[in-house]
Amino acid sequence: MTATQKKRLTTSAMIASIAAEGQPTQPAPFGHALVELARQRQDIVGLTADLSKYTDLHLFADAYPDRFFQMGMAEQLLMSAAAGMAREGFTPFVTTYAVFASRRAYDFICMAIAEENLNVKIACALPGLTTGYGPSHQATEDIAIFRGMPNLTIIDPCDAHEINQVVPAIVDHQGPVYMRLLRGKVPLVLDKYDYRYQHGKAQRIRSGKHAVIISSGLMTMRALEAAEELEKRGIDVGVVHSPVIKPLDEATILKEAGEAAIGGRLVITAENHSITGGLGEAIAATLMRHGVAPRFRQIALPDQFLAAGALPTLHDQYGISTSAMVAQIEQWILS
């Protein structure tokens, strides 16, 4: 292969992994964690809208067929049925694609689940730009849609290590939860940092004297990779992981951003979501309300319908790949 030739991308647009070549992964962490939890909790039931295989809920269906409910392609019914089960004392775990939950079933989640503060856990695959199937499947605005819904907790886990911990944690949380689900072969990242999920908390993963990245979801993985590469170039970047988008851990974020402002460090938010209405804007509003004013930049997807194609190409194109982050942060730091 010559220097000008590129390896042909053969991954499926629907199920392409976000893991880099050779990166450790764990298969179906959500499905396995839920099966393990259900051994201890008889109240847990699983429901999906014809997507058990593509949300890793098939593992639960195989283990507990009498506690699994296939609702067909009817997301509004799916949410209403989960609400009814929650009213009867069950703890439903509901899976579908993030686009279908946020766009198609919003009113049913709002009226049937959130208004009554019912104990329904909604885990949705293909969040943000994790599929190459184009706007019909890319939930680039799901957080923006859900952030305004009262009572709803929003979680964006980074990797398999964190998903394993989030599943039992959200069962202990009273009220509805929306979790962005990474499925299939999910990278293992945070185990190297002795990270433990703390419900409702943001945590510093590494320190840095030039900038701090506050990130969620897969972008924490990318932020840590970018920080390692930037360190080779003499740029020291810290990373703060904020898996819970709502309610935001304002105390930790204000502390980190306040220290950055005093030290002249750049604060960067990074998210696998539209630049409109997500983690970056939530943090920016928090800083403004409390009078904290560091240098501030956002890494996020553009406010537009995105193209279809192979994920590595799309991540480069829209600025959320590791290499794209490195180039952008280096430019900000050196300018």
Side-chain angles (χ1 to χ4, degrees):
M1 183 182 293
T2 67
T4 57
Q5 290 177 317
K6 291 185 177 181
K7 183 179 178 181
R8 184 179 179 185
L9 298 171
T10 58
T11 55
S12 162
M14 181 64 77
I15 61 172
S17 174
I18 59 169
E21 188 173 351
Q23 185 174 34
T25 62
Q26 180 182 327
F30 168 74
H32 287 293
L34 190 59
V35 167
E36 179 60 31
L37 189 62
R39 289 195 181 101
Q40 309 160 33
R41 296 277 302 256
Q42 297 300 312
D43 58 307
I44 292 176
V45 294
L47 301 86
T48 192
D50 203 34
L51 287 172
S52 59
K53 179 180 177 181
Y54 294 104
T55 58
D56 294 340
L57 196 65
H58 65 289
L59 298 173
F60 180 90
D62 292 342
Y64 303 103
D66 58 331
R67 292 156 66 181
F68 171 73
F69 300 89
Q70 173 58 267
M71 307 306 293
M73 293 185 183
E75 290 81 7
Q76 297 163 347
L77 174 63
L78 171 71
M79 299 303 173
S80 299
M85 290 184 181
R87 284 182 176 277
E88 295 302 317
F90 294 99
T91 303
F93 273 76
V94 177
T95 72
T96 182
Y97 288 158
V99 286
F100 301 149
S102 58
R103 299 176 191 168
R104 187 172 299 169
Y106 177 91
D107 192 44
F108 291 77
I109 295 171
C110 185
M111 294 285 90
I113 297 172
E115 185 181 8
E116 303 300 323
N117 201 33
L118 296 177
N119 211 23
V120 178
K121 317 305 175 184
I122 304 167
C124 292
L126 306 189
L129 187 52
T130 52
T131 174
Y133 269 22
S136 65
H137 285 72
Q138 293 162 348
T140 58
E141 78 286 37
D142 58 325
I143 293 173
I145 290 171
F146 280 131
R147 270 184 62 215
M149 187 179 292
N151 291 336
L152 184 66
T153 295
I154 302 172
I155 304 178
D156 191 15
C158 168
D159 69 342
H161 179 73
E162 185 162 46
I163 291 171
N164 288 329
Q165 299 173 37
V166 168
V167 171
I170 62 177
V171 166
D172 292 334
H173 169 83
Q174 181 59 46
V177 172
Y178 172 73
M179 183 177 82
R180 300 181 106 203
L181 177 62
L182 301 174
R183 48 84 51 206
K185 293 182 179 179
V186 180
L188 280 164
V189 179
L190 295 178
D191 55 320
K192 295 185 298 184
Y193 298 88
D194 296 323
Y195 173 87
R196 297 294 301 175
Y197 175 78
Q198 299 178 45
H199 190 60
K201 297 295 184 181
Q203 298 181 55
R204 182 190 294 178
I205 307 299
R206 61 173 287 165
S207 301
K209 64 182 180 181
H210 296 125
V212 58
I213 303 171
I214 305 175
S215 53
S216 69
L218 70 88
M219 293 307 289
T220 294
M221 174 182 73
R222 296 281 163 82
L224 290 167
E225 292 169 349
E228 291 179 2
E229 178 58 33
L230 287 163
E231 188 175 25
K232 300 173 186 176
R233 306 182 188 194
I235 299 173
D236 191 15
V237 176
V239 177
V240 174
H241 178 47
S242 180
V244 180
I245 311 298
K246 183 185 179 184
L248 196 65
D249 181 4
E250 294 189 349
T252 298
I253 287 168
L254 288 169
K255 179 178 182 294
E256 293 286 345
E259 291 176 359
I262 292 170
R265 289 184 295 156
L266 179 65
V267 172
I268 302 163
T269 61
E271 58 190 312
N272 172 35
H273 184 272
S274 167
I275 198 168
T276 301
L279 175 67
E281 286 196 353
I283 290 174
T286 297
L287 299 183
M288 288 289 289
R289 283 195 296 267
H290 290 84
V292 177
R295 295 170 57 214
F296 182 85
R297 296 289 186 273
Q298 286 178 264
I299 293 174
L301 298 169
D303 180 21
Q304 59 188 245
F305 293 112
L306 307 184
L311 279 183
T313 301
L314 295 176
H315 284 194
D316 279 336
Q317 178 178 342
Y318 293 114
I320 66 168
S321 67
T322 301
S323 59
M325 287 182 68
V326 167
Q328 181 64 84
I329 294 170
E330 185 174 38
Q331 179 185 343
W332 283 334
I333 296 292
L334 299 180
S335 62

